[in-house]
Amino acid sequence: MTIAAVPPPEAGAPAPVRRRRKMTFDRASFMAVFLGLPLALYLVFVVSPFVQAVWYSFTNWGGYSNERKFVGLDNYAKLLHNDTFRTAIGNNLLLALVLPLLTIVLALVLASLITVGGSSHGQVRGLKGSSFYRVVSFFPYTIPAIVIGLMWGRIFDPSAGLVNGILVKLGFERFKDFPWLGNEATAMPVTIFIILWGFVGFYMVLFIAAIKGIPQEVFEAARLDGAGRWRTAVSMTIPLIRENVQTAYIYMGILALDAFVYMQALNPEGGPGNSTLVMAQQLYTTAFTKSQFGLACAMGVVLALMTLAFSAIVFAVNRLTGGKDEVSF
């Protein structure tokens, strides 16, 4: 079958005129329902509250009255000189650097083992009993965050916790009454472990679904070319699911920059020496304990800007390091 080439328009010939489609009732109603209504809801419930928060951040609003005086950038200046808030920012940045990386790496390893980490002979498949591992790993994600925090708080309890009980039974007497969440050196690592435990299974399932979307012939071709499991995962699997990894990284970063529920359940006061204090906790205390809603709104704006900056950095890194379809051996 041959397709005749369309001759180019003659020089000086008038450009074809595009006729604008008439706005019919069906088209207008479709745009109103599927475009106008969601846009209106987004403006009312998302954009409008954020704009109000920005405005309140320039005032000394106490939260429980209509009296508010415009103070300009005074609230932001206070944040710059607030040692406690700077400590909270540092803790959030630590979480944003460590938590997404550990979660994504561990989830990718588990997803690879469950999907293509089985026998190196015959059909490409995962480990034996992979369905069981998938269900067990996903189970922690079904538990509400507040329940996870309270549960692990009891497990790490100094006097009656399961962890100290097991360690003492094994002969480690120095861990008797050891305050895991009350020690400045261990509070943050233990908290990171708890959040990691709650989310690895979810992202593992997400990556499993992405890997299942890769044609099996691609893995078989890699095996025939002599690529091992490590080389296949790094050079082929990860590039092909790059967009999924990017999305997961952004969501985990947003969680790390918030982390309010977990921190409030495990250490409501911010931990020893504010070692686990995060911005959301400081915001909550400033607003509802000190009734400084203007200053709290300024904290919220800073938190929002940090979240946007984190997302922009992840997008930029993903773009600079190549697209999802780049595969090499």
Side-chain angles (χ1 to χ4, degrees), residues 266-278:
L266 293 168
N267 266 320
E269 303 300 326
N274 290 326
S275 57
T276 63
L277 181 70
V278 293

Side-chain angles (χ1 to χ4, degrees), residues 12-13 85 91 100 122 166 287 294:
F85 187 70
N91 292 335
I166 292 175

Side-chain angles (χ1 to χ4, degrees), residues 56-76:
Y56 291 147
S57 71
F58 296 114
T59 69
N60 63 349
W61 184 43
Y64 300 103
S65 68
N66 292 326
E67 297 181 4
R68 45 183 176 267
K69 179 182 176 182
F70 183 79
V71 295
L73 297 175
D74 286 356
N75 288 330
Y76 294 95

Side-chain angles (χ1 to χ4, degrees), residues 61-137:
W61 184 43
Y64 300 103
S65 68
N66 292 326
E67 297 181 4
R68 45 183 176 267
K69 179 182 176 182
F70 183 79
V71 295
L73 297 175
D74 286 356
N75 288 330
Y76 294 95
K78 290 180 182 178
L79 295 182
L80 290 176
H81 298 88
N82 189 323
D83 293 336
T84 303
F85 187 70
R86 291 205 303 266
T87 300
I89 290 178
N91 292 335
N92 275 116
L93 291 177
L94 175 63
L95 288 172
L97 289 173
V98 175
L99 193 57
L101 181 62
L102 291 178
T103 305
I104 300 306
V105 169
L106 187 55
L108 280 171
V109 170
L110 294 174
S112 298
L113 290 174
I114 287 177
T115 52
V116 295
S119 175
S120 57
H121 303 285
Q123 185 180 8
V124 177
R125 59 183 181 274
L127 295 175
K128 186 177 181 180
S130 57
S131 299
F132 171 76
Y133 301 139
R134 190 183 313 177
V135 173
V136 171
S137 300

